[in-house]
Amino acid sequence: MEGKVTVLISEEDVEKRITELAGEISRDYAGKEVLFVCILKGSIFFTTALAKHMSVPVTFDFMSVSSYGDATVSSGRVKIIKDLDDSIEGKDVIVIEDIIDSGRTLDHLLRLLEVRKPHSIKLCTLLDKPDRREIDVKVDYVGFTIPDAFVVGYGLDYKQHYRNLPYVGVLHLNED
Ligand code: IMP
Ligand code: MG
């Protein structure tokens, strides 16, 4: 691809932190069952890694969304590409995201899911870029807070590439 990737968070550090987060979430949900709502495609690596270390029962569903229209539209609407397979009514839901940037995607998504009457809904993200926040979304579990850089790996992509890197890296695009 057309750029160079430098390591921001090593594979070892990512996995160590995910294990810690799974412990924290498992303690918070002791005696309950949680439904992980994985936001495709960026969250698949994080979702499965997290789930492997959970000590309470976990079920999964998947949703794919895309930001609506061009960048000048600041409505924050998202288009559902693939909806959940099953109802979330009465369930303890955790939405699993790869990264929160402006917060628009998540803000819209949470509103959309809250209408479906889950028993509870929380948000868990691997990465948080607070410097770029436009909408204040309440994030319950954060893996790492990172500076404002474009990152790839551990599920995150640039034009669909780099998702399978086992670490999180900063992408430096070649200028030509
Ligand atoms: P938000 O609505 O601005 O919070 O958009 C978040 C979405 O933008 C994420 O789910 C990613 O798909 C994408 N995104 C934001 N920052 C990055 C990045 O640094 N690398 C890769 N994708 C990103
Ligand atoms: Mg995404």
Side-chain angles (χ1 to χ4, degrees), residues 19-146:
T19 307
E20 277 173 17
L21 266 182
E24 191 184 330
I25 299 169
S26 297
R27 281 191 293 281
D28 291 351
Y29 286 80
K32 296 181 183 164
E33 176 175 300
V34 291
L35 170 62
F36 277 5
V37 167
C38 171
I39 309 302
L40 297 171
K41 301 167 188 162
S43 304
I44 51 175
F45 291 80
F46 179 39
T47 301
T48 56
L50 191 65
K52 283 191 272 186
H53 296 285
M54 292 288 292
S55 57
V56 299
V58 181
T59 60
F60 302 87
D61 209 337
F62 300 86
M63 197 165 185
S64 180
V65 298
S66 80
S67 299
Y68 228 138
D70 58 74
T72 59
V73 179
S74 58
S75 66
R77 284 175 303 166
V78 297
K79 187 165 118 193
I80 298 180
I81 308 294
K82 182 221 169 292
D83 205 341
L84 298 173
D85 288 340
D86 298 311
S87 164
I88 59 169
E89 191 172 341
K91 303 256 170 86
D92 289 304
V93 174
I94 303 181
V95 176
I96 316 280
E97 254 291 23
D98 50 359
I99 187 163
I100 303 181
D101 192 27
S102 72
R104 293 188 178 281
T105 308
L106 254 299
D107 179 67
H108 188 86
L109 196 65
L110 287 176
R111 285 169 203 272
L112 203 135
L113 293 177
E114 269 159 8
V115 177
R116 301 182 187 183
K117 301 191 175 68
H119 177 254
S120 68
I121 187 159
K122 284 193 182 182
L123 178 57
C124 176
T125 187
L126 177 62
L127 306 173
D128 186 10
K129 268 200 250 182
D131 294 351
R132 305 222 339 142
R133 200 61 42 84
E134 291 168 26
I135 294 185
D136 191 24
V137 279
K138 184 175 165 285
V139 194
D140 301 282
Y141 303 102
V142 176
F144 299 90
T145 299
I146 61 165

